[in-house]
Amino acid sequence: MDYINHLNKSQKDAVLNVEGPCLVIAGAGSGKTRVLTYRIAHLIKKHNVDPFSILALTFTNKASNEMKDRIEQVVGTDARNLWMGTFHSVFARILRAEGNKIGYPSNFTIYDTQDSKSLIKSIVQELGYDNKLYKENYVYNRISNAKNKLISFNEYLNNKIIQEEDISSLRPNIGIIYKEYVKRCFKSQAMDFDDLLFNTNILFKEHIDVLNKYQQRFNYVLIDEFQDTNFSQYLITKKLSAVKRNICVVGDDAQSIYAFRGADINNILNFEKDYSELNLIKLEQNYRSTKNIVGAANSIINNNTSKISKSIWTDNEEGELISIKKSFSDNQEGKMVASLIFEEKNKNHYLNSNFAVLYRTNSQSRSIEEALRRIGIEYKVYGGISFYQRKEVKDLIAYLRFTINQNDEQSLRRIINFPRRGIGKNTLEKIILIANENDIKIWDVILDAKKYFNSRISTQLENFSDLIKGFIIYSQNNDAYTSASHICSLSGLTKEFYDDKTIEGLNKYENIQELLNSIKEYIDTDNKESSIDSFLQEIALLTDQDSENNNENYVSLMTVHMAKGLEFEVVFIVGMEEDLFPSQMMLSSRNDLEEERRLFYVAITRAMKKLYLTYSNTRYRYGILKECQPSRFIDEMDKNHIENSIGEVKNRSFVKNLISDKKNKIESNTIHAPSENFVESDLNHLKEGMKIEHKKFGYGLIKSIDKTQNHQKAIVNFKLVGEKTLLLSFAKLRIVK
């Protein structure tokens, strides 16, 4: 394959110049993945570099697998020998090999976010702290941020600034929770996602021989989406490449949008300071979008001061101007978007999958969903509960995890009395208390149950331990699928869900079977280990994006954060209002505002052919009807790329006047003043087609009445607020005619 001829000049420079440090600034749609793929292929094919000596780091397994497949098309099966994967998967691999040096076994458990929060919740309860103040989400984020900055619990407790922050937030004991959390994880022989980075740093810091081993192994280090790295990730890769200095990072500072996860834009902005001999290459040609979309995106990002200068351009067609659409309410916004999708489909013969609706917050999907359902357009909301987070799936996974690691406290909590076997919550808490007080393992307490419990409870615990010991022996002699099927059956899970003949029970049973199917598929895949342990590691490191299937024929509804890396023919960015986008929470500093602007830039550059921006004059926020102002980002766009027909959005003063002119109308639409003769009617006489008056929603027409339910419902099409479903037992209506 003659891959070089497929590249433009800048891309060739990035592929061919493989020695020394290199920073590739890859603008949106500039062929970043192609460059990274071909650079690795070029190292193997033309420079005879051993694939085992190349470390390539990504943020999703999906990206890693796609790149590996592309590389294999060029160099053949040698590509399978690359050290390529997500930061977490690669560092987990190193820790499984070297973790014994810092006190962890090779089969340590990886806690997901839910496991971590559950443990924190237990610790807060055990320490007697107020769970309303010390909410697990808040505490988890504080601990996670500390770990990503490589702040240990000792440093946390002794840092005056951090302590003052916690005291001012009325949560002075987070450091104590952090200390106990680390202790409990270690005792459970478990690491959370942040630990995979934190402990790798500890390993390299405390064991120079291990660091030197991997410095000598990796002659070339490549990092994708470098703008999304945090301090911990950058420090590890900086250490690994310190000897050979062949580090190549690819990213776009304009798409740095994950500061809330700990991503540090300064890693890419200041990269040159660490490497004076840096080769800086800019990929500025956009292959994705039309000239109007590229021009609009450039005009937005140029308002940021913290950036690497570049000029993105395209040879693509001029394309349609950007459309800005206004509505009087968020419900009307939803109807308008649905109608425009319908029109675009008919006009351009698009599929549902050609469309995406992007929003700043998940809650904005409601009005869009309702409108799409109403006109029969199929859609999918991305970012819901993923398969591996469903309770029944996590139940079986907990059995598998505990079979591998009998010190896993969170798995024990899930399985010890599910299905029910007479071991109550008090017994469980006593097991954990005994283990903590005597500094022994929870499994040792269970194995020695007669010492601590009466005969009835000890018998139940002995039965449980016999069950687990049987699973341990069976799994050592069988592959992951056979073992999992055996565990699922003997644990009682299969029967538990199969005997539940409700729709919910059937769905749970099918999900369990699907998990078993996924295990079978996993072990049937070439070059994969077949143990339960290897399967658990694989699924523990999956990201949200890895589980999404973008090939289905749905309109995609997602937050802008979820949309990063994707592209669609037609994109709607809804809720373009001040305090929503940009978010009110991101207006306290210039850095926060610039991150919001980068987020908007990412949203714009998802569009290939057509871009719509929509906003509402009014929107309910936290139960209160708010009058809205168009986003400042609309004002910042170059008006040469915007449809002239929507002149009201081109300057703020015009919009303010427009809203002022319509104020009375808006108020009458949304805050209806009941007529003087308003008296509630007897709704037993209510019929389809009748005109009615509602105290709040005003006048409407009865569209249909459902009398099949215990509570009779009416669907009413109100003139000014749209369609509403009302329970007639509660509705206060006046029949007009």
Side-chain angles (χ1 to χ4, degrees), residues 2-39:
D2 188 9
Y3 52 89
I4 300 299
N5 289 333
H6 291 81
L7 306 173
N8 64 37
K9 185 180 182 305
S10 298
Q11 290 173 334
K12 284 180 183 177
D13 287 344
V15 168
L16 299 178
N17 298 306
V18 296
E19 298 300 320
C22 179
L23 170 60
V24 181
I25 300 297
S30 63
K32 163 183 72 69
T33 303
R34 172 181 287 187
V35 165
L36 202 53
T37 299
Y38 288 170
R39 185 181 175 97

Side-chain angles (χ1 to χ4, degrees), residues 306-372:
S306 298
K307 62 180 187 291
I308 296 171
S309 68
K310 54 186 173 295
S311 181
I312 306 300
W313 59 278
T314 184
D315 269 340
N316 293 341
E317 63 183 350
E318 197 74 26
E320 293 185 52
L321 293 168
I322 294 163
S323 296
I324 301 179
K325 302 291 185 181
K326 166 179 64 64
S327 61
F328 285 109
S329 70
D330 51 351
N331 281 332
Q332 287 184 352
E333 181 181 49
K335 292 176 182 178
M336 179 176 66
V337 169
S339 176
L340 288 168
I341 290 174
F342 183 81
E343 290 173 12
E344 288 279 356
K345 284 181 67 177
N346 287 335
K347 183 173 70 175
N348 297 308
H349 306 290
Y350 284 139
L351 300 172
N352 289 335
S353 56
N354 296 135
F355 296 88
V357 182
L358 310 183
Y359 33 77
R360 183 62 180 85
T361 64
N362 275 305
S363 60
Q364 291 171 255
S365 73
R366 180 198 55 80
S367 62
I368 311 296
E369 288 185 68
E370 289 179 2
L372 291 173

Side-chain angles (χ1 to χ4, degrees), residues 253-259 265-266 269 300-308 581-583 586-602 632-633 636:
D253 58 294
Q255 298 186 66
S256 179
I257 59 173
Y258 293 120
I265 192 174
N266 290 309
L269 294 178
I300 287 295
I301 206 62
N302 284 338
N303 288 277
N304 275 6
T305 55
S306 298
K307 62 180 187 291
I308 296 171
F581 201 178
S583 168
M586 300 294 286
L587 298 177
S588 58
S589 71
R590 178 175 294 278
N591 287 341
D592 287 345
L593 177 59
E594 292 203 349
E595 172 123 343
E596 283 291 284
R597 191 174 284 114
R598 291 194 295 270
L599 188 61
F600 183 46
Y601 175 85
V602 167
R632 69 187 70 190
F633 295 154
E636 292 176 358

Side-chain angles (χ1 to χ4, degrees), residues 392-570:
E392 60 276 14
V393 173
K394 287 187 73 82
D395 288 336
L396 178 52
I397 288 173
Y399 270 102
L400 301 182
R401 285 190 355 185
F402 200 75
T403 298
I404 300 301
N405 175 12
Q406 294 79 53
N407 297 296
D408 183 351
E409 179 184 328
Q410 292 309 298
S411 292
L412 177 67
R413 287 178 179 274
R414 292 193 79 95
I415 69 173
I416 195 167
N417 199 40
F418 187 78
R420 294 185 181 276
R421 50 176 63 91
I423 305 173
K425 184 179 179 181
N426 290 337
T427 302
L428 173 61
E429 296 303 329
K430 190 174 179 180
I431 292 170
I432 294 169
L433 183 63
I434 293 168
N436 290 336
E437 287 181 345
N438 295 278
D439 199 24
I440 58 177
K441 298 175 179 178
I442 53 177
W443 182 238
D444 291 337
V445 178
I446 295 171
L447 291 176
D448 202 11
K450 287 182 179 178
K451 182 179 176 180
Y452 304 105
F453 299 95
N454 62 42
S455 58
R456 184 187 68 80
I457 295 174
S458 64
T459 299
Q460 298 288 2
L461 290 174
E462 284 175 2
N463 292 338
F464 175 72
S465 65
D466 288 343
L467 182 72
I468 299 300
K469 284 188 282 188
F471 293 165
I472 295 169
I473 295 169
Y474 193 89
S475 66
Q476 289 170 347
N477 298 294
N478 292 276
D479 63 40
Y481 174 74
T482 307
S483 300
S485 300
H486 175 81
I487 292 168
C488 190
S489 177
L490 267 66
S491 66
L493 287 181
T494 303
K495 187 176 188 306
E496 178 79 13
F497 298 126
Y498 186 78
D499 288 349
D500 183 355
K501 300 302 183 183
T502 64
I503 294 175
E504 185 183 12
L506 179 62
N507 287 336
K508 289 180 178 180
Y509 177 77
E510 289 176 346
N511 284 335
I512 287 290
Q513 296 305 313
E514 183 59 29
L515 176 60
L516 294 174
N517 292 339
S518 72
I519 299 174
K520 186 67 168 71
E521 184 180 4
Y522 172 81
I523 67 170
D524 286 346
T525 304
D526 292 338
N527 302 310
K528 291 283 182 79
E529 295 181 44
S530 63
S531 67
I532 290 178
D533 190 23
S534 61
F535 172 75
L536 290 174
Q537 181 179 334
E538 181 89 358
I539 63 170
L541 297 167
L542 286 173
T543 67
D544 291 341
Q545 287 185 333
D546 293 323
S547 60
E548 304 293 4
N549 182 356
N550 298 318
N551 297 320
E552 299 170 324
N553 192 25
Y554 299 109
V555 174
S556 295
L557 274 57
M558 65 184 79
T559 64
V560 182
H561 284 101
M562 285 287 297
K564 189 169 176 290
L566 305 177
E567 60 183 32
F568 304 88
E569 274 77 3
V570 184

